[in-house]
Amino acid sequence: MSALNLVAIVTLLGGAAWMIPALVQQRFRDPMRLHLFMALFLMGLGNVLSQPRILMWLDGVTLPGFTKITYNVAVLTGLCLMVAFLRECPLTGWRAPWPWEVVACAICLTAMTAMTVALPSPLRNHVLTSRYLVDWRVRTFYNFGNFYLLFGYAACAVLAARHARKGRSLHRLSLSVISVGLAALALSCVFRFLWVNLPTLREPGRRVTYADAFGFGQIATIVVCAGLSLPAFVSVVQMVRERLDHQSQFCGLEELWNRLVEIHPELVLDHRSRRPGFLLANAPAVYRRYVECRDGLTRLSPYLQLVAEEGPAPVADDDPRTSACLVDRALCRFLEQNGRDDGPPTASVFVLAPKLRCGAGGTDYEEDLGALVRLSLELREMRNRRVAEPAATP
């Protein structure tokens, strides 16, 4: 199996697998997604069955030529479904594909099956060489297959280019790349048709051979696969970036969270997610830790009010270091009194970005979360400085 074939197979079957969760959620009632899933799956399966080792093994347990006609059925049926998918946009209910592509596919597959049955067993696993193409039944087999591949690829290229004129920029780019690749595949079918029917092209010494056309078709297939993979690749990149952001926010709150949980262990809402990994550090985990920190600061509010009133200067508006110092002093005051319930009777304090204020007030979640992360990071810096100071003292 060549590297180009492997890329095509992985892309087609990977694209089909990517759609399975959404299909399961919709209970396979989404016609457009189902058409696309079946198209990708069948074309991927056809490419798998066309591999020489698999073809020889399946023919050994069935009949000569059985695997060749089977993978052609899979590829042509998948292409028919792809044409139907591109024609129906949007599709809210199941509708039969347009008659011409179904009738043309059925006629071509029937003729290819008849030619396979008519061929003797040694010729059924034919390839595009003069040894086999001298037989009119082999030429007929390829002509019918090329006929549907040519019109199927061309129709898909035109429809994809038409859809590329509208929609989001990513979808327009993806469909444009797919259209270019399909147009190139249609051109490769034209060359294959000439190769089959013009013996002069197969004469030795020609500069352009079928191997060149086959490589051109493989590159065109990779272009189509790249267009198909582009939305999934962008989605994966966005998902990874979001996970990294959530991981950074989750870890950023760790210092503040640890110090608050130390004095109020009951703050923890879910003990199973104290240190979630990359896959578990999602938006709900960050929000849960944010709520726990908020609850802890609210419980600490009497001491925050007390140390704020004891401060020699007013709190600076844009100085998270001052807020961290207040929280640190309030935690120390709490520990000095052993967390007794008879702490200083004062109003609750709600920590707002970017400083500590008295009273309650609303603010944007992302802004407030960012302020708490900066507060927590500043507390970590303070702790690191305290650890480093005794070590630096002779």
Side-chain angles (χ1 to χ4, degrees):
M1 182 186 300
S2 68
L4 294 177
N5 270 332
L6 180 61
V7 171
I9 291 171
V10 170
T11 303
L12 292 170
L13 294 181
W18 180 271
M19 304 176 67
I20 290 178
L23 281 172
V24 171
Q25 290 179 354
Q26 297 292 328
R27 297 183 180 179
F28 293 88
R29 294 176 182 174
D30 187 339
M32 288 195 68
R33 189 175 276 114
L34 185 59
H35 281 176
L36 182 58
F37 165 77
M38 291 300 300
L40 295 175
F41 175 74
L42 288 174
M43 287 190 285
L45 179 63
N47 278 273
V48 171
L49 295 176
S50 68
Q51 302 308 308
R53 292 184 179 180
I54 297 177
L55 188 149
M56 293 177 60
W57 177 77
L58 284 178
D59 275 7
V61 298
T62 54
L63 298 171
F66 173 82
T67 311
K68 190 174 188 68
I69 192 63
T70 300
Y71 78 70
N72 277 280
V73 169
V75 171
L76 267 63
T77 304
L79 185 58
C80 181
L81 288 170
M82 182 64 74
V83 176
F85 165 75
L86 291 172
R87 283 189 183 278
E88 304 290 350
C89 184
L91 180 62
T92 56
W94 188 89
R95 289 165 55 185
W98 282 35
W100 79 264
E101 68 239 19
V102 176
V103 172
C105 185
I107 290 175
C108 290
L109 289 175
T110 301
M112 294 169 72
T113 304
M115 292 302 104
T116 300
V117 173
L119 283 169
S121 296
L123 296 180
R124 286 180 179 175
N125 283 323
H126 44 76
V127 292
L128 286 162
T129 60
S130 297
R131 173 192 169 188
Y132 293 101
L133 292 175
V134 295
D135 193 300
W136 68 271
R137 292 165 293 188
V138 175
R139 295 197 303 272
T140 303
F141 179 95
Y142 284 114
N143 283 335
F144 274 100
N146 283 330
F147 168 79
Y148 191 79
L149 289 175
L150 171 61
F151 284 96
Y153 288 143
C156 287
V158 171
L159 292 170
R162 190 176 300 169
H163 289 306
R165 300 174 185 172
K166 52 189 177 181
R168 294 183 298 174
S169 58
L170 175 62
H171 289 169
R172 290 199 302 268
L173 176 61
S174 174
L175 288 168
S176 297
V177 173
I178 292 172
S179 178
V180 171
L182 289 170
L185 283 172
L187 289 176
S188 70
C189 292
V190 174
F191 182 86
R192 189 183 300 114
F193 181 83
L194 296 175
W195 176 268
V196 169
N197 294 282
L198 297 178
T200 55
L201 286 179
R202 303 194 298 271
E203 292 177 354
R206 292 286 182 179
R207 291 185 177 181
V208 180
T209 64
Y210 182 71
D212 300 322
F214 181 78
F216 177 78
Q218 288 290 296
I219 294 174
T221 302
I222 297 303
V223 172
V224 174
C225 291
L228 289 170
S229 304
L230 187 58
F233 175 75
V234 172
S235 298
V236 170
V237 170
Q238 290 176 344
M239 182 182 68
V240 171
R241 186 176 61 184
E242 290 176 359
R243 292 287 183 175
L244 290 174
D245 290 341
H246 293 148
Q247 181 76 11
S248 176
Q249 293 168 343
F250 191 89
C251 294
L253 292 171
E254 186 171 12
E255 181 68 22
L256 176 62
W257 182 82
N258 283 335
R259 298 188 66 174
L260 291 172
V261 169
E262 183 181 356
I263 62 174
H264 293 296
E266 67 277 8
L267 288 174
V268 181
L269 300 175
D270 186 359
H271 290 273
R272 297 171 299 176
S273 59
R274 293 178 68 92
R275 289 183 176 273
F278 175 76
L279 295 176
L280 296 178
N282 50 18
V286 174
Y287 184 74
R288 183 165 54 245
R289 175 160 285 191
Y290 163 81
V291 170
E292 291 166 352
C293 290
R294 267 282 169 229
D295 190 14
L297 288 173
T298 301
R299 298 188 184 197
L300 193 64
S301 60
Y303 300 92
L304 288 170
Q305 181 71 16
L306 181 62
V307 297
E309 293 173 350
E310 293 175 350
V315 177
D317 282 348
D318 298 320
D319 188 8
R321 181 174 299 179
T322 306
S323 298
C325 289
L326 290 175
V327 172
D328 183 67
R329 289 162 53 195
L331 288 168
C332 292
R333 182 64 63 87
F334 181 91
L335 293 174
E336 289 173 1
Q337 298 190 12
N338 294 323
R340 294 195 303 268
D341 293 335
D342 56 345
T346 183
S348 295
V349 176
F350 196 64
V351 183
L352 294 178
K355 68 173 186 176
L356 299 176
R357 297 173 184 251
C358 297
T363 187
D364 181 73
Y365 166 67
E366 293 295 336
E367 179 186 354
D368 197 27
L369 175 61
L372 289 183
V373 170
R374 291 191 294 273
L375 172 63
S376 179
L377 294 176
E378 192 61 40
L379 285 171
R380 182 183 300 172
E381 288 295 324
M382 292 176 60
R383 178 172 57 83
N384 291 338
R385 285 195 296 268
R386 286 178 187 151
V387 173
E389 285 174 359
T393 302

